[in-house]
Amino acid sequence: MISAGQTTVIASLLLLLAACGESGKTPPVEFRIPIEVIEVSTDDMEDLIVTTGALRTRESVNLDVETPGFLKLARDESGNPLVEGSAVKAGQLIAEITGEDARLAAGLEATRRHLESAEKELNRRQQLFDRKLIAEEDVWQARTRYEDALHNFDTSQRTLEKSRITTPIDGVILELVRDAGGQTIADGQKVVLGLRIARVAPLDRLIADIDLVGPDLSRVAPGQSVRINHYAFEDISMAGTVLRLAPTLDPQSRTFRVEVEVDNQEGLLRPGMFIQASIIAERREDVIVVPRDAITLRAGRNVVFVVDGQRVVVRRVVLGLADDTRLEVTEGLNAGERVAVRGLETLTDGTQVRVVTP
């Protein structure tokens, strides 16, 4: 038989066990998916057509020997001989052809004296004719001799000018006369008719010849802005403008040629360089933009997950322009809202989330 004291002890033990059982219950766990978010903002977006091309000069002039003789290269303002890369102005002397051949070819002084003599004789006979002291035929003979002398003087003057080789345009000397071994020809060396002395071209503006495939052609027109990049200048873009589009298709490459004028005032680019050209087909300012990572496909539709308190709400969006990292959202988002950019794989409408710092 259990005594009263034992009964009391048993009752106390049962109460203690009951209390322990209640305190040992595990509280329910609330699981929240960790996500990274960004705040929706506005920015400018561009529709770019990215292609490649090669640079060339927009114009150039070849300066050749027009009368044989001996070469004498001109010098710059500092007294140094002109070299490839020297900047020159229109009308500036590049080289002279000197020596007996050039002097004999010119004969300028002799023809000048002959012209002066013929002009005096013509004036004298004209005065005599006006006084009716000679016949008109004598005047015509003097005029004929004067015209012949003038022709000879002009010819000699042009010949002399040919011995002075000047550039008709501003620019840079891209090529300077060299021998068969590639060495620059020294002063005093005999040169022959037709030898190329120099090639001059302006480099402040260049032309980029780029090729476009058919689908892109409808998005390009003269006057559109272009950004020019070269791998040697990774952080620098040069400005360009579409000049003209070729009227025909290249039968070999099946592409259309587009000429782009490139601003090269800083002189970084050179003819022959291979460049990347980004034609700005369309530009929209102050539009809603989000990273590409914020957009996902659900049921074939573009959606974002907008953070609403501790949950996310699925929101269908309409997209516009795009670049390599961002997308324009034309409908479905407002500036200032927060959207998920990491952890979207397991999200659904109403999922509880926990925002984490990247």
Side-chain angles (χ1 to χ4, degrees):
M1 174 177 280
I2 300 175
S3 65
Q6 291 174 325
T7 302
T8 302
V9 171
I10 293 171
S12 298
L13 290 173
L14 290 174
L15 290 172
L16 181 61
L17 289 173
C20 291
E22 290 178 0
S23 63
K25 287 183 180 180
T26 303
V29 177
E30 188 179 64
F31 183 72
R32 296 179 181 179
I33 296 177
I35 61 171
E36 294 179 17
V37 303
I38 60 99
E39 183 175 305
V40 177
S41 61
T42 61
D43 202 350
D44 300 338
M45 286 292 294
E46 296 172 336
D47 179 17
L48 300 178
I49 301 172
V50 181
T51 183
T52 56
L55 294 173
R56 61 175 172 84
T57 60
R58 55 189 171 88
E59 62 177 345
S60 66
V61 60
N62 296 324
L63 305 176
D64 301 334
V65 173
E66 296 186 63
T67 184
F70 298 94
L71 177 68
K72 182 181 179 182
L73 290 175
R75 297 176 178 269
D76 59 20
E77 295 179 351
S78 301
N80 300 314
L82 295 177
V83 296
E84 290 176 350
S86 295
V88 293
K89 295 290 186 180
Q92 182 173 337
L93 182 67
I94 304 300
E96 288 184 276
I97 308 302
T98 64
E100 188 65 23
D101 291 345
R103 286 196 295 272
L104 290 176
L108 183 62
E109 189 60 31
T111 56
R112 178 186 287 112
R113 289 196 298 268
H114 189 195
L115 175 63
E116 292 173 351
S117 176
E119 185 177 15
K120 289 179 181 179
E121 179 63 18
L122 174 60
N123 291 336
R124 187 183 71 83
R125 294 200 177 193
Q126 183 66 50
Q127 292 174 359
L128 291 173
F129 175 75
D130 292 342
R131 294 162 56 188
K132 299 182 180 181
L133 297 177
I134 61 173
E136 185 177 9
E137 182 179 355
D138 293 334
V139 178
W140 280 109
Q141 290 176 354
R143 187 175 300 279
T144 299
R145 286 193 292 269
Y146 170 77
E147 296 292 343
D148 290 341
L150 180 61
H151 171 75
N152 292 336
F153 175 75
D154 289 342
T155 301
S156 296
Q157 193 170 39
R158 286 194 298 270
T159 302
L160 181 62
E161 290 173 354
K162 291 178 181 179
S163 69
R164 292 176 54 83
I165 301 175
T166 60
T167 172
I169 62 172
D170 294 350
V172 173
I173 298 178
L174 302 185
E175 299 174 10
L176 200 58
V177 60
R178 295 176 181 271
D179 60 22
Q183 297 296 317
T184 302
I185 293 180
D187 283 351
Q189 186 164 337
K190 187 175 178 61
V191 291
V192 297
L193 185 68
L195 178 68
R196 175 68 45 78
I197 295 297
R199 184 165 74 92
V200 177
L203 299 183
D204 58 332
R205 287 179 294 155
L206 299 175
I207 298 297
D209 291 319
I210 62 176
D211 294 326
L212 292 181
V213 295
D216 290 331
L217 187 64
S218 61
R219 300 159 59 199
V220 177
Q224 286 177 326
S225 298
V226 185
R227 282 197 291 272
I228 304 296
N229 296 93
H230 188 272
Y231 69 90
F233 314 104
E234 294 183 357
D235 299 326
I236 301 176
S237 292
M238 276 64 74
T241 305
V242 175
L243 278 184
R244 61 184 65 88
L245 283 68
T248 59
L249 177 76
D250 187 323
Q252 301 297 325
S253 63
R254 309 303 297 175
T255 59
F256 288 91
R257 175 61 53 89
V258 177
E259 292 183 6
V260 175
E261 185 177 60
V262 182
D263 184 355
N264 191 37
Q265 295 290 340
E266 296 184 6
L268 299 178
L269 303 176
R270 295 289 186 273
M273 279 185 170
F274 195 68
I275 52 88
Q276 181 185 76
S278 300
I279 302 173
I280 303 175
E282 185 179 356
R283 178 181 173 85
R284 298 176 186 171
E285 298 181 351
D286 198 28
V287 296
I288 300 292
V289 295
V290 295
R292 284 183 174 270
D293 292 339
I295 306 295
T296 186
L297 279 176
R298 295 296 166 89
R301 296 179 175 180
N302 292 308
V303 300
V304 295
F305 288 97
V306 180
V307 178
D308 183 10
Q310 296 182 346
R311 298 178 182 275
V312 291
V313 177
V314 66
R315 186 91 58 80
R316 183 186 176 187
V317 292
V318 179
L319 304 179
L321 301 182
D323 59 24
D324 291 340
T325 60
R326 306 177 304 164
L327 293 164
E328 176 195 8
V329 177
T330 59
E331 295 180 21
L333 275 180
N334 298 310
E337 292 185 300
R338 296 192 304 163
V339 295
V341 293
R342 294 287 187 277
L344 277 66
E345 297 81 3
T346 57
L347 296 182
T348 58
D349 190 32
T351 299
Q352 290 186 318
V353 294
R354 175 170 54 91
V355 177
V356 297
T357 303

